[in-house]
Amino acid sequence: MKPLLITSSTTSSTNTMLQILPHQPYTNFSKLPKSTLEKGQEKTQKKTAQQKSKMQTLNSTQCSSSMVLKEESISYSHPETSHQIISTNNQQEAAPTIHSMDLTKNRRVVAKSTKTILASVTPNINKQKATKTTSSITLVSPTRTLSATTINNFTQDSQPVSNNNTMPFTTVVTNATNRKKNVLMSDSPSSSTSSLNSSSSSSSNFGQQVEILVTMDSPPSPQVTSVQKNSVRKTIKEYYKIEGLLEKNDEGLQLLRAYLSERRNDEMLIYLESNREFRLMRKNYANDVNMSRITLVREFKTIYENFVNFESLTCMNIASSIRESFTQTLKEVQVLSQDEIPNQTLCERMEKCLDTLLFNIQLQFNNEIMTHFKKSSEFKTFVITKLIELSASETSSIMEDMEKTSPRTPGEHLISNILVDNEMEEYSKTFTKKKLVTLDQIRHFTADDYRDKIGMKKIGHLKRIVRVVNEHFNKQSGSTC
Amino acid sequence: MGNIVVSPHDKEGQHHMMATPTSNNPNGGSAATAKNKSEITVLLLGAGESGKSTLFKQVQFFHGVGITHDQERIELIEIVRLNVLENAKNLVAATQHLNIPIEQPENRETAKLIINSLNTNDLEDPSWSKRLYSLWKDAGIQKAYENREKFQLYDSTEYLFENLDRICSDKYVPTVVDVIRTRTKTIGITDMKFDVGDGKQLRLVDVGGQRNERRKWIHFFNTVDAVVFLTSLSEFDLNLYEDNGYWRVKESLRVFNEVVNNALFYKVPFVLLFNKRDLFEKKIATKSFSKYFSGFNEAEEKNPVACIEYMTKLFLNEITEHPLDTVSVKTLSAIDHDNSKQVFEEVKQFIMTQQHRE
């Protein structure tokens, strides 16, 4: 019988070769998946026997030691949880199996059904209205201080008194607002000077490119430049965060959705959207405590069933501590009869669960999804398009506003505009160098002045600029008369 | 090494990169529609925290993409610091849960701040380096750390605390090792391609390992040419991140059973990598291995080779359908650059040999 060699590669000289004798036929049928069990013991044993003869010799060039593993019965258990593999009869605790993965084909259906659930819960909410009001809504609202009591107990000099054994380890969120701020800051394209510079090399180039695009627009005055730049920057910056994308709810969000759907990775986005809808609903019921609490119960159940429960196809990747706190609270929620209004304590517990979940998902989303999404070519193209679009519309709207509030005199118009309109923009830089910006400054310029001071040599250009400047002032004075 | 093609969510514009990015489509783009023999798709599978992404980052690194570049790593400052904070919070919470007092009053003050208000921006202040290090060295925290199997804590905790003086600096730029050792839970799918000679490209696909993430694996199964299954040796005393009442070894065995015996993989080369060998060797020096495996000879429990043999046998016993001659077993320490490079090279050769045989 050929032994199975297992190479163990390490950088040090501890490379070892393990020589393993053929293993016993598979005897623990309780371990097998159901489908395998159905094939029968006979087939399994036959297969195993065939495998015995196919022992494999692997790369053993760097092996320095070998040993023979004796055949022995295999049983093992976790002392803390008493999981006895050898007698695994508790199929209920089994996680979703690979065999059940086919179900994910219905993922989109589930996403739709989640919407349906939401729709059924929100019969009185006009979606249009809800969308319009989003700008005034803070998506993350962990306004409640969480588990402060336990922390205070702990931090007292009298030393920890463990009065809460179910305290989550991974997510102790006592001042979520502070951490949230931090997440947002960390995730923003740049928390320092240039809001659009992301820090990768390509992103950094991209940032510069965007910066150039902003400055290229050459708004008419420094005041406009500053206002416009800030406004466009602010708008574009919002697209770099999931909170901003959700709030805008435009093609940026659609792009993210498509990006995630393509990767079968959209459960968190569906959750965030559901969460947003529910928070809107609760806000609408702010003056009606009972309705607000009933909505909270519905929200809690919906979020649990769709995004926390392992059985759900849109179950999210969250820490067990969060899942446990949901499960424990759910037990109390399920005791309530239909439309029974939960008490204040239970409401606070539900809110704590929901806030912790939201905080963690946003953190994950910004750290693990947005970082990749921001680098995608789709997103970069979108941002550039948006930037051009915003810059153009901002310039025109700002110009219009300025015209309305303080109409410019003919002399305040820009030389650069005249040059561009008359295909002589090549002289723009020279005018700027000579600190000639407005038409007032060149109102009395002759052809000789343009030739000597600006360096215009073409007679056609000299004649044209003199004519255009004169026409401009004549036209403006005519129109004002 | 040959050309690298990275998907759009990886860095663009790197000097090695070819013009064509990999498909973002989990089905493998062109590979899904017509099996392209010039492309070998290798899936990195395994339960959560088995080291798939660490190996993936190492492969990126020795192909000169991703974290090789300073700018790429600068982006990860927040994540490294977030790891520090989460570890600190988990440890502080654990002292409370395990009823272990933090001994020094000033460390208790630090703990209070960590829980209540500290954020990653604060870690730019070098004074936090001393405070956090002092907390880390507190006897209470150290005792909680010794009992870390009772709560969730990142493997890199010790490393991060020992490097606080660098991390808590306003000029901090994460090193490659920092990034390799930083824990970031993989959500969704990441892939990269590189040439392996003979006009072939190897497409390496990294996926998330937690239960909900495993549902996404199925979308790759019909296009896969080889599977690299990772499992952590050092998880023998730990429970799952996503289900704290469930033993990690049991989960790994179950996932391995389901993957290796899947009919779609019968003819596919299969590599089983026992990862975190370094941590495992440290761990068995202080923890009992036989306590978790009743069939294991207690006298051998301090012998890593014997322990690894036993683990190997456990896993191989799960193979009921897959032909054993297309299964390779190796050990790995994915945080070790040289070891990762060597093992990955061996894995690549094994896969290529199997491909030639076909």
Short mmCIF file of all heavy atoms in Angstrom, two decimals, chain A residues 8-9 26 56 67 74-78 83 101 159 167 169 174-175 182 199-200 262 265 310 320 323 364 368, chain B residues 11 26 71 90 96 101 108 115-116 120 185 214-216 241-242 245 247 253 277 292 294 309 314 317 327 331 339:
data_model
loop_
_atom_site.label_atom_id
_atom_site.label_comp_id
_atom_site.label_asym_id
_atom_site.label_seq_id
_atom_site.Cartn_x
_atom_site.Cartn_y
_atom_site.Cartn_z
N SER A 8 4.95 19.63 4.14
CA SER A 8 4.75 20.75 5.05
C SER A 8 5.83 21.77 4.75
O SER A 8 6.97 21.58 5.10
CB SER A 8 4.86 20.25 6.48
OG SER A 8 4.99 21.34 7.33
N SER A 9 5.45 22.81 4.08
CA SER A 9 6.45 23.78 3.65
C SER A 9 6.53 24.95 4.60
O SER A 9 5.56 25.61 4.86
CB SER A 9 6.09 24.32 2.26
OG SER A 9 5.90 23.25 1.41
N TYR A 26 -15.23 5.03 5.70
CA TYR A 26 -16.08 6.03 6.36
C TYR A 26 -17.17 5.34 7.13
O TYR A 26 -18.04 4.69 6.57
CB TYR A 26 -16.69 6.94 5.27
CG TYR A 26 -17.15 8.25 5.79
CD1 TYR A 26 -16.37 9.39 5.63
CD2 TYR A 26 -18.35 8.36 6.45
CE1 TYR A 26 -16.79 10.60 6.11
CE2 TYR A 26 -18.77 9.58 6.94
CZ TYR A 26 -17.99 10.70 6.76
OH TYR A 26 -18.41 11.90 7.22
N GLN A 56 -1.67 8.85 -2.66
CA GLN A 56 -0.95 9.79 -3.49
C GLN A 56 0.40 10.18 -2.88
O GLN A 56 0.54 10.32 -1.69
CB GLN A 56 -1.83 11.05 -3.58
CG GLN A 56 -1.18 12.17 -4.25
CD GLN A 56 -1.88 13.45 -3.83
OE1 GLN A 56 -2.60 13.47 -2.85
NE2 GLN A 56 -1.63 14.48 -4.57
N MET A 67 6.80 10.39 9.57
CA MET A 67 6.29 9.52 10.62
C MET A 67 5.02 8.82 10.16
O MET A 67 4.35 9.25 9.23
CB MET A 67 6.04 10.30 11.90
CG MET A 67 5.07 11.42 11.79
SD MET A 67 4.68 12.04 13.40
CE MET A 67 6.31 12.36 14.03
N ILE A 74 -11.88 8.08 15.23
CA ILE A 74 -11.87 9.54 15.31
C ILE A 74 -13.11 10.03 16.03
O ILE A 74 -14.23 9.76 15.62
CB ILE A 74 -11.84 10.14 13.89
CG1 ILE A 74 -10.55 9.71 13.22
CG2 ILE A 74 -11.93 11.64 13.93
CD1 ILE A 74 -10.55 9.97 11.76
N SER A 75 -12.86 10.70 17.07
CA SER A 75 -13.97 11.39 17.73
C SER A 75 -13.42 12.63 18.38
O SER A 75 -12.30 12.63 18.88
CB SER A 75 -14.62 10.49 18.78
OG SER A 75 -13.71 10.26 19.81
N TYR A 76 -14.14 13.67 18.32
CA TYR A 76 -13.64 14.88 18.91
C TYR A 76 -14.81 15.74 19.34
O TYR A 76 -15.90 15.65 18.81
CB TYR A 76 -12.76 15.66 17.91
CG TYR A 76 -13.31 15.72 16.52
CD1 TYR A 76 -14.04 16.81 16.10
CD2 TYR A 76 -13.14 14.65 15.66
CE1 TYR A 76 -14.55 16.85 14.84
CE2 TYR A 76 -13.66 14.69 14.38
CZ TYR A 76 -14.36 15.79 13.99
OH TYR A 76 -14.89 15.83 12.73
N SER A 77 -14.52 16.55 20.29
CA SER A 77 -15.60 17.37 20.81
C SER A 77 -15.06 18.68 21.29
O SER A 77 -13.89 18.81 21.64
CB SER A 77 -16.29 16.65 21.97
OG SER A 77 -15.36 16.48 23.00
N HIS A 78 -15.94 19.64 21.31
CA HIS A 78 -15.57 20.93 21.84
C HIS A 78 -16.00 20.95 23.30
O HIS A 78 -17.17 20.79 23.62
CB HIS A 78 -16.29 22.04 21.06
CG HIS A 78 -15.75 23.38 21.38
ND1 HIS A 78 -15.92 23.97 22.59
CD2 HIS A 78 -15.00 24.23 20.62
CE1 HIS A 78 -15.33 25.14 22.58
NE2 HIS A 78 -14.76 25.32 21.41
N HIS A 83 -20.00 19.85 21.40
CA HIS A 83 -20.34 19.40 20.05
C HIS A 83 -19.66 18.07 19.80
O HIS A 83 -18.45 18.01 19.67
CB HIS A 83 -19.85 20.40 19.00
CG HIS A 83 -20.64 21.65 19.00
ND1 HIS A 83 -22.00 21.67 18.97
CD2 HIS A 83 -20.23 22.94 19.01
CE1 HIS A 83 -22.42 22.92 18.98
NE2 HIS A 83 -21.37 23.70 19.01
N MET A 101 -27.40 25.86 -1.80
CA MET A 101 -27.00 27.13 -2.41
C MET A 101 -27.81 27.48 -3.65
O MET A 101 -27.88 28.64 -4.02
CB MET A 101 -25.52 27.11 -2.76
CG MET A 101 -24.66 27.25 -1.55
SD MET A 101 -22.99 27.20 -2.07
CE MET A 101 -22.16 27.51 -0.54
N GLN A 159 -14.09 48.26 40.69
CA GLN A 159 -13.81 47.09 39.85
C GLN A 159 -15.05 46.43 39.27
O GLN A 159 -16.14 46.57 39.79
CB GLN A 159 -12.95 46.07 40.60
CG GLN A 159 -11.50 46.42 40.56
CD GLN A 159 -11.08 46.75 39.15
OE1 GLN A 159 -11.14 45.91 38.27
NE2 GLN A 159 -10.66 47.98 38.93
N MET A 167 -23.25 40.82 27.23
CA MET A 167 -22.68 41.98 26.55
C MET A 167 -21.91 41.58 25.31
O MET A 167 -21.08 40.69 25.36
CB MET A 167 -21.73 42.69 27.51
CG MET A 167 -21.21 43.98 26.97
SD MET A 167 -20.23 44.74 28.22
CE MET A 167 -19.58 46.09 27.28
N PHE A 169 -19.22 41.28 22.55
CA PHE A 169 -17.79 41.56 22.60
C PHE A 169 -17.34 42.45 21.46
O PHE A 169 -16.55 43.35 21.63
CB PHE A 169 -17.00 40.25 22.51
CG PHE A 169 -17.14 39.43 23.73
CD1 PHE A 169 -17.42 38.09 23.64
CD2 PHE A 169 -17.00 40.00 24.99
CE1 PHE A 169 -17.53 37.33 24.77
CE2 PHE A 169 -17.11 39.24 26.11
CZ PHE A 169 -17.38 37.90 26.02
N THR A 174 -21.16 52.39 22.71
CA THR A 174 -21.73 53.26 23.72
C THR A 174 -21.83 54.69 23.24
O THR A 174 -22.66 55.44 23.67
CB THR A 174 -20.88 53.26 24.99
OG1 THR A 174 -19.55 53.51 24.60
CG2 THR A 174 -20.98 51.93 25.69
N ASN A 175 -20.97 55.04 22.36
CA ASN A 175 -21.07 56.38 21.80
C ASN A 175 -20.95 56.25 20.30
O ASN A 175 -19.96 56.63 19.70
CB ASN A 175 -19.96 57.27 22.38
CG ASN A 175 -20.26 58.72 22.13
OD1 ASN A 175 -21.01 59.04 21.21
ND2 ASN A 175 -19.70 59.58 22.93
N ASN A 182 -16.32 59.29 12.96
CA ASN A 182 -15.00 58.82 12.58
C ASN A 182 -15.04 58.02 11.29
O ASN A 182 -14.22 58.18 10.41
CB ASN A 182 -14.44 57.99 13.72
CG ASN A 182 -13.14 57.37 13.37
OD1 ASN A 182 -12.31 58.05 12.78
ND2 ASN A 182 -12.97 56.14 13.70
N SER A 199 -6.75 58.15 -2.02
CA SER A 199 -5.32 58.04 -1.79
C SER A 199 -4.57 57.00 -2.61
O SER A 199 -3.38 56.89 -2.48
CB SER A 199 -5.09 57.79 -0.32
OG SER A 199 -6.16 57.16 0.24
N SER A 200 -5.23 56.26 -3.41
CA SER A 200 -4.46 55.34 -4.24
C SER A 200 -3.78 56.13 -5.35
O SER A 200 -4.14 57.25 -5.63
CB SER A 200 -5.39 54.32 -4.86
OG SER A 200 -6.23 54.97 -5.75
N GLU A 262 -24.15 42.26 -9.36
CA GLU A 262 -23.28 41.48 -10.22
C GLU A 262 -22.41 40.53 -9.39
O GLU A 262 -22.07 39.45 -9.82
CB GLU A 262 -22.39 42.43 -11.01
CG GLU A 262 -21.86 41.86 -12.29
CD GLU A 262 -21.08 42.91 -13.08
OE1 GLU A 262 -20.53 43.85 -12.48
OE2 GLU A 262 -21.02 42.77 -14.29
N ASN A 265 -23.89 40.45 -3.97
CA ASN A 265 -23.41 41.02 -2.71
C ASN A 265 -24.28 42.20 -2.30
O ASN A 265 -23.79 43.16 -1.72
CB ASN A 265 -21.96 41.47 -2.91
CG ASN A 265 -21.20 41.53 -1.63
OD1 ASN A 265 -21.58 40.89 -0.66
ND2 ASN A 265 -20.13 42.30 -1.61
N PHE A 310 -30.29 33.21 9.93
CA PHE A 310 -29.45 32.40 9.04
C PHE A 310 -30.24 31.80 7.87
O PHE A 310 -29.71 31.55 6.80
CB PHE A 310 -28.80 31.25 9.81
CG PHE A 310 -27.50 31.62 10.46
CD1 PHE A 310 -27.26 31.31 11.80
CD2 PHE A 310 -26.50 32.28 9.76
CE1 PHE A 310 -26.05 31.63 12.41
CE2 PHE A 310 -25.29 32.62 10.36
CZ PHE A 310 -25.07 32.29 11.69
N SER A 320 -21.71 37.18 15.84
CA SER A 320 -22.67 36.39 16.59
C SER A 320 -23.27 37.18 17.74
O SER A 320 -24.43 36.97 18.10
CB SER A 320 -22.01 35.13 17.12
OG SER A 320 -20.92 35.48 17.93
N ARG A 323 -26.25 38.95 16.51
CA ARG A 323 -27.31 37.99 16.23
C ARG A 323 -27.94 37.50 17.53
O ARG A 323 -29.16 37.37 17.65
CB ARG A 323 -26.74 36.82 15.42
CG ARG A 323 -27.80 35.88 14.88
CD ARG A 323 -27.26 34.90 13.88
NE ARG A 323 -27.15 35.48 12.56
CZ ARG A 323 -25.99 35.72 11.93
NH1 ARG A 323 -24.86 35.43 12.52
NH2 ARG A 323 -25.96 36.26 10.74
N GLN A 364 -19.01 48.37 8.02
CA GLN A 364 -18.56 47.34 7.06
C GLN A 364 -18.69 47.84 5.63
O GLN A 364 -17.82 47.63 4.80
CB GLN A 364 -19.41 46.09 7.19
CG GLN A 364 -18.91 45.11 8.22
CD GLN A 364 -19.68 43.81 8.13
OE1 GLN A 364 -19.96 43.29 7.06
NE2 GLN A 364 -20.04 43.27 9.28
N GLU A 368 -15.43 48.03 3.63
CA GLU A 368 -15.17 46.83 2.83
C GLU A 368 -15.84 46.84 1.46
O GLU A 368 -15.45 46.08 0.59
CB GLU A 368 -15.60 45.58 3.62
CG GLU A 368 -14.68 45.35 4.81
CD GLU A 368 -15.35 44.59 5.94
OE1 GLU A 368 -16.14 43.68 5.65
OE2 GLU A 368 -15.10 44.93 7.10
N LYS B 11 -6.20 48.00 -7.96
CA LYS B 11 -5.60 49.22 -8.46
C LYS B 11 -5.40 49.16 -9.97
O LYS B 11 -5.07 48.14 -10.54
CB LYS B 11 -4.24 49.43 -7.81
CG LYS B 11 -4.33 49.61 -6.32
CD LYS B 11 -5.34 50.64 -5.89
CE LYS B 11 -5.09 52.00 -6.46
NZ LYS B 11 -6.22 52.87 -6.28
N PRO B 26 -19.27 37.33 -11.46
CA PRO B 26 -18.89 36.17 -10.69
C PRO B 26 -18.93 34.88 -11.49
O PRO B 26 -18.29 33.90 -11.14
CB PRO B 26 -19.92 36.13 -9.56
CG PRO B 26 -20.52 37.48 -9.53
CD PRO B 26 -20.41 38.02 -10.91
N GLN B 71 0.75 54.10 -1.81
CA GLN B 71 -0.53 54.78 -1.88
C GLN B 71 -1.68 53.83 -1.55
O GLN B 71 -2.64 54.22 -0.92
CB GLN B 71 -0.74 55.36 -3.29
CG GLN B 71 0.00 56.64 -3.55
CD GLN B 71 -0.46 57.76 -2.61
OE1 GLN B 71 0.01 57.86 -1.50
NE2 GLN B 71 -1.36 58.59 -3.04
N ASN B 90 -12.65 44.82 22.53
CA ASN B 90 -13.00 43.43 22.83
C ASN B 90 -12.30 42.94 24.09
O ASN B 90 -12.89 42.21 24.89
CB ASN B 90 -12.65 42.53 21.65
CG ASN B 90 -13.56 42.77 20.47
OD1 ASN B 90 -14.63 43.36 20.62
ND2 ASN B 90 -13.16 42.33 19.29
N GLN B 96 -14.55 42.51 31.59
CA GLN B 96 -15.81 42.65 32.31
C GLN B 96 -16.58 41.33 32.31
O GLN B 96 -17.07 40.88 33.34
CB GLN B 96 -16.65 43.74 31.64
CG GLN B 96 -17.92 44.03 32.40
CD GLN B 96 -18.82 44.97 31.64
OE1 GLN B 96 -18.73 45.09 30.42
NE2 GLN B 96 -19.69 45.63 32.36
N PRO B 101 -10.43 41.96 36.88
CA PRO B 101 -10.22 43.41 37.03
C PRO B 101 -9.00 43.92 36.28
O PRO B 101 -7.98 43.23 36.20
CB PRO B 101 -10.03 43.58 38.54
CG PRO B 101 -9.60 42.25 39.04
CD PRO B 101 -10.13 41.21 38.10
N ARG B 108 -7.59 51.73 33.83
CA ARG B 108 -9.06 51.69 33.89
C ARG B 108 -9.63 52.95 33.24
O ARG B 108 -10.65 52.91 32.57
CB ARG B 108 -9.53 51.58 35.35
CG ARG B 108 -9.30 50.18 35.92
CD ARG B 108 -10.19 49.94 37.12
NE ARG B 108 -9.79 50.70 38.29
CZ ARG B 108 -8.88 50.28 39.18
NH1 ARG B 108 -8.32 49.11 39.04
NH2 ARG B 108 -8.57 51.02 40.23
N ILE B 115 -13.88 52.62 25.45
CA ILE B 115 -15.26 52.19 25.27
C ILE B 115 -16.17 53.35 24.89
O ILE B 115 -17.05 53.23 24.05
CB ILE B 115 -15.78 51.52 26.57
CG1 ILE B 115 -15.00 50.23 26.86
CG2 ILE B 115 -17.28 51.23 26.50
CD1 ILE B 115 -15.21 49.12 25.86
N ASN B 116 -15.93 54.50 25.51
CA ASN B 116 -16.88 55.60 25.33
C ASN B 116 -16.62 56.54 24.18
O ASN B 116 -17.56 56.99 23.54
CB ASN B 116 -16.96 56.41 26.62
CG ASN B 116 -17.67 55.65 27.71
OD1 ASN B 116 -18.68 55.00 27.46
ND2 ASN B 116 -17.13 55.68 28.91
N THR B 120 -10.61 56.42 15.67
CA THR B 120 -9.35 56.19 14.96
C THR B 120 -8.54 57.47 14.74
O THR B 120 -7.32 57.41 14.70
CB THR B 120 -9.60 55.51 13.59
OG1 THR B 120 -10.58 56.25 12.89
CG2 THR B 120 -10.03 54.08 13.76
N LYS B 185 -12.81 41.60 7.06
CA LYS B 185 -13.73 40.53 6.65
C LYS B 185 -14.06 40.69 5.18
O LYS B 185 -14.47 41.75 4.73
CB LYS B 185 -14.98 40.64 7.50
CG LYS B 185 -15.89 39.45 7.43
CD LYS B 185 -16.95 39.50 8.50
CE LYS B 185 -17.69 40.82 8.47
NZ LYS B 185 -18.68 40.98 9.51
N ARG B 214 -20.97 32.05 2.02
CA ARG B 214 -20.79 30.78 1.31
C ARG B 214 -21.90 30.53 0.29
O ARG B 214 -21.73 29.75 -0.63
CB ARG B 214 -20.71 29.63 2.32
CG ARG B 214 -19.48 29.72 3.21
CD ARG B 214 -19.10 28.37 3.75
NE ARG B 214 -20.00 27.88 4.75
CZ ARG B 214 -19.85 28.06 6.07
NH1 ARG B 214 -18.83 28.76 6.52
NH2 ARG B 214 -20.70 27.54 6.91
N ARG B 215 -23.01 31.19 0.48
CA ARG B 215 -24.09 31.06 -0.51
C ARG B 215 -23.65 31.59 -1.88
O ARG B 215 -24.20 31.22 -2.89
CB ARG B 215 -25.32 31.82 -0.05
CG ARG B 215 -25.95 31.25 1.19
CD ARG B 215 -27.35 31.81 1.35
NE ARG B 215 -27.97 31.22 2.51
CZ ARG B 215 -28.04 31.82 3.70
NH1 ARG B 215 -27.55 33.01 3.85
NH2 ARG B 215 -28.62 31.22 4.71
N LYS B 216 -22.68 32.49 -1.84
CA LYS B 216 -22.25 33.12 -3.09
C LYS B 216 -21.26 32.23 -3.85
O LYS B 216 -21.01 32.47 -5.02
CB LYS B 216 -21.60 34.47 -2.78
CG LYS B 216 -22.56 35.44 -2.12
CD LYS B 216 -21.84 36.61 -1.46
CE LYS B 216 -22.80 37.44 -0.61
NZ LYS B 216 -22.13 38.46 0.18
N TYR B 241 -17.23 33.18 14.47
CA TYR B 241 -17.53 34.62 14.57
C TYR B 241 -19.03 34.85 14.39
O TYR B 241 -19.63 35.65 15.09
CB TYR B 241 -16.74 35.35 13.46
CG TYR B 241 -17.23 36.73 13.11
CD1 TYR B 241 -16.82 37.84 13.84
CD2 TYR B 241 -18.10 36.93 12.03
CE1 TYR B 241 -17.26 39.11 13.52
CE2 TYR B 241 -18.55 38.20 11.71
CZ TYR B 241 -18.13 39.28 12.45
OH TYR B 241 -18.58 40.54 12.13
N GLU B 242 -19.61 34.14 13.43
CA GLU B 242 -21.02 34.39 13.12
C GLU B 242 -21.97 33.58 13.99
O GLU B 242 -23.17 33.81 13.98
CB GLU B 242 -21.29 34.13 11.63
CG GLU B 242 -21.17 32.69 11.16
CD GLU B 242 -19.76 32.35 10.67
OE1 GLU B 242 -18.80 32.89 11.25
OE2 GLU B 242 -19.62 31.56 9.73
N GLY B 245 -21.79 29.83 19.39
CA GLY B 245 -21.99 28.54 20.04
C GLY B 245 -21.54 27.38 19.17
O GLY B 245 -21.83 26.22 19.47
N TRP B 247 -18.53 25.31 17.13
CA TRP B 247 -17.09 25.08 17.11
C TRP B 247 -16.55 25.24 15.69
O TRP B 247 -17.09 24.67 14.74
CB TRP B 247 -16.84 23.67 17.63
CG TRP B 247 -15.40 23.32 17.87
CD1 TRP B 247 -14.38 24.16 18.15
CD2 TRP B 247 -14.87 22.00 17.85
NE1 TRP B 247 -13.22 23.45 18.32
CE2 TRP B 247 -13.48 22.12 18.14
CE3 TRP B 247 -15.40 20.74 17.64
CZ2 TRP B 247 -12.65 21.02 18.20
CZ3 TRP B 247 -14.56 19.64 17.71
CH2 TRP B 247 -13.20 19.79 17.98
N LEU B 253 -14.87 21.29 8.98
CA LEU B 253 -15.00 19.92 8.47
C LEU B 253 -16.27 19.77 7.63
O LEU B 253 -16.26 19.12 6.59
CB LEU B 253 -15.05 18.93 9.64
CG LEU B 253 -13.69 18.58 10.26
CD1 LEU B 253 -13.85 17.94 11.62
CD2 LEU B 253 -12.90 17.63 9.34
N ARG B 277 -0.01 27.79 10.81
CA ARG B 277 0.85 26.84 11.48
C ARG B 277 1.66 27.52 12.60
O ARG B 277 1.86 26.96 13.67
CB ARG B 277 1.81 26.20 10.47
CG ARG B 277 2.57 25.05 11.06
CD ARG B 277 3.63 24.51 10.12
NE ARG B 277 4.51 23.66 10.90
CZ ARG B 277 4.68 22.37 10.67
NH1 ARG B 277 4.07 21.79 9.69
NH2 ARG B 277 5.49 21.67 11.44
N TYR B 292 -9.71 18.71 23.12
CA TYR B 292 -10.73 18.92 22.09
C TYR B 292 -10.92 17.71 21.18
O TYR B 292 -11.88 17.66 20.42
CB TYR B 292 -10.34 20.14 21.23
CG TYR B 292 -10.27 21.41 22.04
CD1 TYR B 292 -9.09 21.80 22.66
CD2 TYR B 292 -11.40 22.19 22.21
CE1 TYR B 292 -9.02 22.95 23.42
CE2 TYR B 292 -11.34 23.35 22.98
CZ TYR B 292 -10.15 23.72 23.58
OH TYR B 292 -10.11 24.86 24.34
N SER B 294 -10.95 13.74 21.58
CA SER B 294 -10.86 12.64 22.53
C SER B 294 -10.05 11.47 21.99
O SER B 294 -9.49 10.69 22.76
CB SER B 294 -12.26 12.19 22.94
OG SER B 294 -12.98 11.84 21.78
N GLU B 309 -0.91 15.83 11.84
CA GLU B 309 -1.27 14.53 11.25
C GLU B 309 -2.70 14.16 11.60
O GLU B 309 -3.47 13.70 10.76
CB GLU B 309 -0.37 13.43 11.85
CG GLU B 309 0.87 13.13 11.08
CD GLU B 309 1.62 12.01 11.78
OE1 GLU B 309 1.04 10.93 12.00
OE2 GLU B 309 2.79 12.23 12.14
N LEU B 314 -8.42 13.74 10.06
CA LEU B 314 -9.83 14.13 10.23
C LEU B 314 -10.42 14.64 8.93
O LEU B 314 -11.52 14.27 8.55
CB LEU B 314 -9.95 15.24 11.28
CG LEU B 314 -9.80 14.91 12.75
CD1 LEU B 314 -10.03 16.16 13.58
CD2 LEU B 314 -10.78 13.84 13.16
N ASN B 317 -10.67 12.00 6.11
CA ASN B 317 -11.78 11.08 6.33
C ASN B 317 -13.11 11.62 5.83
O ASN B 317 -14.07 10.88 5.69
CB ASN B 317 -11.89 10.75 7.82
CG ASN B 317 -11.18 9.45 8.13
OD1 ASN B 317 -11.55 8.39 7.65
ND2 ASN B 317 -10.12 9.54 8.90
N VAL B 327 -5.87 15.11 -4.80
CA VAL B 327 -5.92 15.92 -3.58
C VAL B 327 -4.50 16.09 -3.05
O VAL B 327 -3.74 15.13 -2.95
CB VAL B 327 -6.79 15.24 -2.49
CG1 VAL B 327 -6.77 16.07 -1.20
CG2 VAL B 327 -8.21 15.07 -2.98
N THR B 331 0.80 22.42 4.63
CA THR B 331 0.63 23.37 5.74
C THR B 331 1.19 24.72 5.31
O THR B 331 2.02 24.80 4.41
CB THR B 331 1.34 22.90 7.02
OG1 THR B 331 2.72 22.78 6.75
CG2 THR B 331 0.76 21.60 7.53
N ASN B 339 7.13 31.81 3.10
CA ASN B 339 6.40 30.54 3.15
C ASN B 339 5.20 30.56 2.20
O ASN B 339 4.95 29.58 1.49
CB ASN B 339 5.95 30.28 4.59
CG ASN B 339 5.22 28.96 4.74
OD1 ASN B 339 4.11 28.91 5.25
ND2 ASN B 339 5.83 27.89 4.27
#
